[in-house]
Amino acid sequence: MRVLQNLNFGKAVTELIPKLFEQAIGIVVLTTVVGFILAIVIGFLLALGRLSKHGWLRNIIIVFQEIIRGTPLLVQLVYIYYVVPLLIEVLAYLIGIDNYKCNMPAVTAGIIGIGINYGTYISEVIRSAILAIDSGQTEAALALAMSPRQALFRIVVPQAFRNSIPVFGNYLVMLVKDTSLMAYITAPELLLVTKAYTSQTFLTIESYTILAVVYLIICIPLSWLVKLLEKKFNKKYR
Amino acid sequence: MALLEIKGLKKNFGDLKVLQNVNMTIEEGEVLVLIGPSGSGKSTFLRCLNLLEQPSGGEILFKGENILADKFNVINYRKHVGMCFQRFNLFPFMTVLNNVMYSPVHILKRKESEMKDKAMTLLSKVGLADKANVYPDTLSGGQQQRVAIARALAMEPEMMLFDEPTSALDPELVGDVLNVMKDLAHEGMTMAVVTHEMGFAREVADRVIFMEGGIVLEDKPPEEMFTNPEHDRTREFLKRILNN
């Protein structure tokens, strides 16, 4: 087999890994951290909106959630990267600003897309966690002269949030892996850098194997950490 | 003037009429015990008194002011009326001390240092000063209920509502909670207690109220209620519950 004779893992390791660490890892970490924080903020706001007493707000959010959950994340990323800037330019034109060029960096588009997508899923986690808190907690808070808003934010939400943490962890691991979708919108993360290296060197087997291993090295410890968190937060308050 | 005056109180849940027409006055310092079969509306009545349930009709006057009026400040009113629940409802993510201190400090804006001393005094009173820094889930039901009483008292209420405070407890833990409630009654706290503890009613109550089918069937001092009930239904109920 020609392919086997030409295998050169040594070369691939010494050339590709520094490339990955130079920029790609940084982008993955940045997207994961900022995207995840954004997702929790969005998820929290959507969950509160869904629990609002205003029917119109609940309906708007339900429609929004259906759109996000009914389309693939990859399509959403493409949409945010290619379509949204054009829409902004059209909007700028309509309000009288001529020749406005909207440039959205790929990483920014990725963070926004991942934040919105994961935020939508996380909102359901937070919403059901809030609904799962015993109504006696709210009643006790009200009986202690808290307003309904204070009862929600000071008594119910802290407990719901803590109960959601183990589920957040699972989403975090998924999110790390989904940053690879940003390759499609030209963000130089792990997959795109690897792909570029492969097309120069034709070390296909070596490069993508290294890529897979790098993802494993990131994700396996992360899911161990999540399991630890799960153990800690599934316990009662002591 | 009566502390609370209840006139023609009604509460419906859909088609179900839980409270038909309840009239009652509660004087300052009085201890009322509400008894009756389950579904008679006594818990609902109690929850209407601090507006955890919104009554469907009638009037509740607190020191002459109608608490069901549109612009009545419910939150302010609840500062004066403490409540203890069957399932305690302590906040599990706060220590016992913080459970007691939280609302006085954050809602009533009391000084934290002063409130801490006060909370410790209250915890000593219910016999749990040594548990101040543990979390509620580590306590027995009886201990949790005593913390809940201390928590309600920390608001310095003028009146306390107890909704079956011992019903969720193991029998051997009931006594400690009742003792705390007896002390409170002897100190002159106005109390309305829904309970099946007839011994407590006999010993502490100024009036025992028998409710059935959403109305007050009888309202009299305990000796009279237990020795000479007027209605057959009351007699049947007391016989059944006292024989248990």
Side-chain angles (χ1 to χ4, degrees):
Chain A
M1 268 293 277
R2 187 65 158 274
V3 181
L4 286 180
Q5 284 162 9
N6 290 343
L7 274 184
N8 193 344
F9 265 98
K11 180 169 188 276
V13 167
T14 51
E15 287 177 3
L16 178 59
I17 289 188
K19 270 189 203 296
L20 294 180
F21 273 88
E22 250 165 51
Q23 43 175 352
I25 290 270
I27 288 173
V28 171
V29 171
L30 179 75
T31 311
T32 302
V33 172
V34 182
F36 195 63
I37 291 169
L38 186 65
I40 288 179
V41 172
I42 289 173
F44 193 66
L45 293 176
L46 291 179
L48 288 180
R50 275 294 296 273
L51 296 169
S52 150
K53 56 176 185 250
H54 302 293
W56 58 268
L57 182 59
R58 289 201 305 270
N59 289 336
I60 289 176
I61 291 171
I62 289 170
V63 170
F64 179 80
Q65 287 176 323
E66 289 301 325
I67 292 171
I68 299 299
R69 283 188 297 197
T71 51
L73 175 54
L74 186 55
V75 174
Q76 290 162 14
L77 292 178
V78 170
Y79 203 89
I80 289 168
Y81 185 58
Y82 293 107
V83 181
V84 169
L86 295 177
L87 293 179
I88 291 173
E89 283 171 20
V90 170
L91 210 67
Y93 175 78
L94 287 177
I95 59 171
I97 306 166
D98 269 346
N99 292 326
Y100 174 72
K101 289 305 279 177
C102 180
N103 280 313
M104 172 128 41
V107 176
T108 309
I111 288 171
I112 293 172
I114 286 173
I116 290 174
N117 184 280
Y118 275 80
T120 303
Y121 286 99
I122 282 176
S123 75
E124 286 302 284
V125 176
I126 297 176
R127 189 173 77 99
S128 49
I130 288 175
L131 291 175
I133 299 296
D134 181 42
S135 61
Q137 291 288 308
T138 304
E139 287 180 357
L142 293 177
L144 288 165
M146 289 185 214
S147 68
R149 183 180 291 260
Q150 286 168 332
L152 176 66
F153 284 102
R154 295 168 181 231
I155 302 301
V156 175
V157 165
Q159 297 179 60
F161 212 75
R162 181 189 136 124
N163 295 348
S164 310
I165 287 174
V167 191
F168 286 171
N170 291 326
Y171 278 105
L172 182 66
V173 179
M174 280 164 62
L175 194 153
V176 172
K177 291 179 285 183
D178 275 349
T179 59
S180 63
L181 294 175
M182 296 199 309
Y184 198 81
I185 57 169
T186 74
E189 48 61 73
L190 295 171
L191 176 58
L192 192 66
V193 170
T194 308
K195 199 175 166 218
Y197 177 75
T198 317
S199 54
Q200 288 161 17
T201 60
F202 301 105
L203 296 170
T204 310
I205 295 178
E206 301 87 332
S207 305
Y208 287 118
T209 307
I210 290 168
L211 175 67
V213 171
V214 169
Y215 271 115
L216 280 175
I217 288 169
I218 298 172
C219 289
I220 289 179
L222 199 59
S223 43
W224 286 341
L225 200 72
V226 168
K227 282 223 178 68
L228 274 178
L229 277 178
E230 218 164 302
K231 255 197 194 145
K232 181 168 160 53
F233 286 101
N234 277 341
K235 268 197 210 132
K236 286 187 167 179
Y237 298 87
R238 291 280 139 127
Chain B
M1 188 189 297
L3 188 63
L4 270 183
E5 198 171 346
I6 297 112
K7 295 179 184 167
L9 194 71
K10 292 184 182 60
K11 174 68 186 175
N12 310 329
F13 291 107
D15 289 337
L16 185 69
K17 289 181 179 156
V18 180
L19 297 177
Q20 307 253 20
N21 181 11
V22 178
N23 296 287
M24 200 182 293
T25 53
I26 304 174
E27 301 290 338
E28 211 171 315
E30 253 188 328
V31 177
L32 266 64
V33 169
L34 294 111
I35 60 173
S38 64
S40 60
K42 48 198 194 311
S43 279
T44 305
F45 172 68
L46 202 70
R47 290 161 58 84
C48 282
L49 294 185
N50 72 347
L51 300 178
L52 282 184
E53 299 290 352
Q54 188 65 32
S56 314
E59 277 185 356
I60 301 174
L61 305 179
F62 178 70
K63 296 178 177 171
E65 195 183 355
N66 186 5
I67 70 169
L68 302 177
D70 280 341
K71 48 188 190 307
F72 182 78
N73 188 338
V74 177
I75 289 163
N76 200 41
Y77 167 67
R78 288 194 183 124
K79 291 174 188 168
H80 304 291
V81 183
M83 184 158 190
C84 290
F85 300 86
Q86 184 177 0
R87 307 261 353 140
F88 335 125
N89 298 342
L90 294 177
F91 305 134
F93 63 107
M94 295 180 190
T95 60
V96 163
L97 183 64
N98 282 332
N99 262 279
V100 177
M101 286 172 60
Y102 189 86
S103 247
V105 170
H106 292 94
I107 307 300
L108 303 182
K109 307 291 179 196
R110 299 269 188 275
K111 269 218 191 78
E112 196 165 340
S113 53
E114 286 168 25
M115 206 51 231
K116 191 174 171 189
D117 294 342
K118 174 124 198 274
M120 286 308 298
T121 310
L122 284 168
L123 285 173
S124 310
K125 192 172 151 184
V126 300
L128 292 169
D130 56 327
K131 301 289 186 187
N133 294 314
V134 306
Y135 286 89
D137 282 340
T138 61
L139 301 179
S140 73
Q143 291 171 325
Q144 289 192 45
Q145 192 60 289
R146 284 184 280 151
V147 173
I149 294 172
R151 179 175 72 169
L153 291 177
M155 301 289 283
E156 299 182 335
E158 293 175 52
M159 178 176 181
M160 286 281 289
L161 309 173
F162 291 88
D163 187 5
E164 305 207 22
T166 57
S167 300
L169 301 181
D170 290 337
E172 82 267 21
L173 303 175
V174 168
D176 289 337
V177 172
L178 291 181
N179 285 335
V180 169
M181 290 169 64
K182 280 177 200 165
D183 289 346
L184 203 56
H186 291 138
E187 286 163 23
M189 175 64 76
T190 313
M191 294 163 64
V193 185
V194 172
T195 187
H196 298 292
E197 296 293 331
M198 295 303 144
F200 176 81
R202 206 188 290 260
E203 191 180 330
V204 183
D206 295 304
R207 283 154 59 200
V208 177
I209 289 150
F210 178 74
M211 288 184 74
E212 157 120 274
I215 58 166
V216 173
L217 208 59
E218 291 195 50
D219 178 346
K220 41 176 63 124
E223 341 45 285
E224 251 180 90
M225 178 69 86
F226 290 117
T227 54
N228 190 20
E230 193 178 320
H231 293 267
D232 288 344
R233 272 303 292 134
T234 318
R235 207 167 297 134
E236 265 172 53
F237 174 79
L238 287 174
K239 204 163 110 191
R240 207 164 348 113
I241 208 151
L242 291 173
N243 284 344
N244 270 342

